[in-house]
Amino acid sequence: MTVTVTPDSFSLVLFDHDAIVTVVERLVADIGLPEGIDVRVEVDERVPLGRAEILALDPITLEVEGGALEDPKRPRQLSTDGTADIIGRLLLRARDRLDPAFGDPPPDADLTLALRTAWDVHCVGRLTRLGYRAQRQRRLYAFRNRHGFSDDADAAFERLFTETDLTWADIVAISESARANAAASA
């Protein structure tokens, strides 16, 4: 397993290349990606926005805009916690996609916002159990925006955040049930 981060040095932001590699290597070990899989992280330092996505699974290739890794209180500085949150979530999604027992989610471009949000909640919950800092309230608010502000939505969030071995079918069922309950009570 090798971890590659590009660029090798940053000129527009004050990111430490080796710090990013260290975070990714720790995540790979903690998440338990399959043996021998390589991970590439392509950071576009020219873009101060926060988009991050999986480009490929073999090797796992992530494309991340510089703003996604930036410390929100210190412009142009790397946030190691934020880096672990963004890259960890993507690596968990990649692991899910590589695991036949998880199921067969559609390509990211075909995911509804509700399903993307539900999957993110499940990934961030697992990161939290691995000892990484999570912005639980931020994820809860995003989930409520897509699934309703109700006790049913909060229960669905809790299940996604706390359960460990959900499949894609489970995530879809939890999301759809929360949305249906929100529509019925509206």
Side-chain angles (χ1 to χ4, degrees):
M1 184 275 310
T2 60
V3 171
T4 306
V5 174
T6 57
D8 291 328
S9 64
F10 296 91
S11 59
L12 299 175
V13 293
L14 305 172
F15 291 178
D16 180 342
H17 173 271
D18 293 341
I20 298 171
V21 170
T22 299
V23 169
V24 176
E25 287 175 341
R26 181 176 164 223
L27 283 163
V28 166
D30 290 346
I31 288 170
L33 288 170
E35 285 290 318
I37 196 147
D38 294 328
V39 177
R40 295 180 187 168
V41 180
E42 301 170 359
V43 180
D44 187 349
E45 67 178 317
R46 299 169 300 158
V47 182
L49 302 175
R51 188 179 56 79
E53 64 183 347
I54 300 169
L55 296 181
L57 293 175
D58 188 18
I60 295 175
T61 306
L62 311 178
E63 183 178 65
V64 182
E65 293 176 343
L69 308 181
E70 189 175 85
D71 186 326
K73 295 182 181 179
R74 299 178 317 142
R76 299 179 53 224
Q77 302 288 322
L78 180 70
S79 166
T80 54
D81 285 340
T83 298
D85 178 60
I86 295 296
I87 293 177
R89 184 174 45 82
L90 292 176
L91 290 176
L92 279 164
R93 273 193 188 185
R95 189 186 87 178
D96 290 345
R97 286 187 181 282
L98 292 168
D99 180 1
F102 180 75
D104 191 22
D108 284 352
D110 295 339
L111 290 173
T112 65
L113 287 174
L115 287 174
R116 179 184 300 266
T117 302
W119 197 1
D120 283 348
V121 168
H122 185 53
C123 290
V124 172
R126 290 182 286 170
L127 278 175
T128 301
R129 285 185 294 287
L130 291 171
Y132 292 91
R133 182 183 67 85
Q135 296 177 339
R136 188 183 193 311
Q137 287 306 112
R138 173 182 172 223
R139 298 294 174 184
L140 176 59
Y141 184 71
F143 187 80
R144 286 173 172 168
N145 275 319
R146 301 291 174 217
H147 296 85
F149 287 78
S150 69
D151 291 342
D152 289 330
D154 289 355
F157 175 89
E158 284 303 316
R159 186 167 174 214
L160 289 164
F161 197 84
T162 59
E163 291 192 23
T164 56
D165 295 321
L166 296 176
T167 64
W168 178 245
D170 296 330
I171 292 170
V172 170
I174 293 167
S175 176
E176 288 178 353
S177 175
R179 288 177 54 84
N181 289 337
S185 64

